């Protein structure tokens, strides 16, 4: 019985972590779209030097993010653990109910 409960909790944790990853992917892609619009604006010379510096910093972030726009199951264990951290927070809140 305890093994089943532990197995069920682990399965729920993984499902919640996968959902967290899916939400993050959607959020990060929406941010990426905004950054892409800035890149397009910069190509027309529409940004000042401070905006260009900021955009340059954001390009590095985009490069890191794009590598993570994969299904949860394909993430490294290290990256899965990042999603599990938030899944544990959800579980903790649910247990308070």
């Amino acid at each position: 019985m305890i093994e089943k409960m532990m197995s069920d909790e682990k399965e729920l944790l993984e499902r919640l972590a996968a959902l967290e990853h899916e939400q993050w992917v959607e959020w990060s892609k929406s941010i990426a779209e905004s950054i892409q619009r800035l890149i397009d604006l910069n190509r027309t010379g529409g940004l000042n030097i401070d905006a260009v510096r900021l955009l340059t910093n954001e390009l590095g972030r985009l490069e890191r993010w794009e590598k993570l726009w994969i299904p949860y199951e394909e993430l490294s264990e290290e990256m899965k653990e990042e999603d599990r951290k938030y899944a544990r927070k959800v579980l903790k809140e649910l247990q308070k109910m």
Side-chain angles (χ1 to χ4, degrees), residues 5-91:
M5 287 173 47
M6 290 175 65
S7 174
D8 289 348
E9 186 172 327
K10 184 175 180 178
E11 182 181 331
L12 179 57
L13 178 66
E14 286 302 300
R15 290 173 65 191
L16 289 171
L19 180 59
E20 171 59 32
H21 180 68
E22 184 180 323
Q23 291 171 335
W24 175 83
V25 168
E26 291 301 316
W27 171 82
S28 64
K29 284 183 176 181
S30 71
I31 299 298
E33 288 174 10
S34 297
I35 294 170
Q36 185 59 52
R37 285 193 292 274
L38 287 174
I39 291 169
D40 295 342
L41 184 59
N42 184 49
R43 287 186 182 130
T44 64
L47 297 179
N48 65 31
I49 190 66
D50 291 330
V52 170
R53 284 188 191 122
L54 178 63
L55 180 59
T56 301
N57 291 336
E58 293 303 310
L59 289 175
R61 181 186 305 192
L62 278 183
E63 288 175 4
R64 290 189 308 275
W65 284 0
E66 287 175 347
K67 294 174 187 172
L68 299 172
W69 292 343
I70 59 177
Y72 176 78
E73 296 77 21
E74 295 177 23
L75 291 173
S76 68
E77 277 302 308
E78 179 182 353
M79 293 313 302
K80 284 181 181 180
E81 188 56 34
E82 291 300 313
D83 290 321
R84 289 179 189 128
K85 287 178 187 177
Y86 288 94
R88 286 186 190 98
K89 290 179 182 186
V90 170
L91 283 175

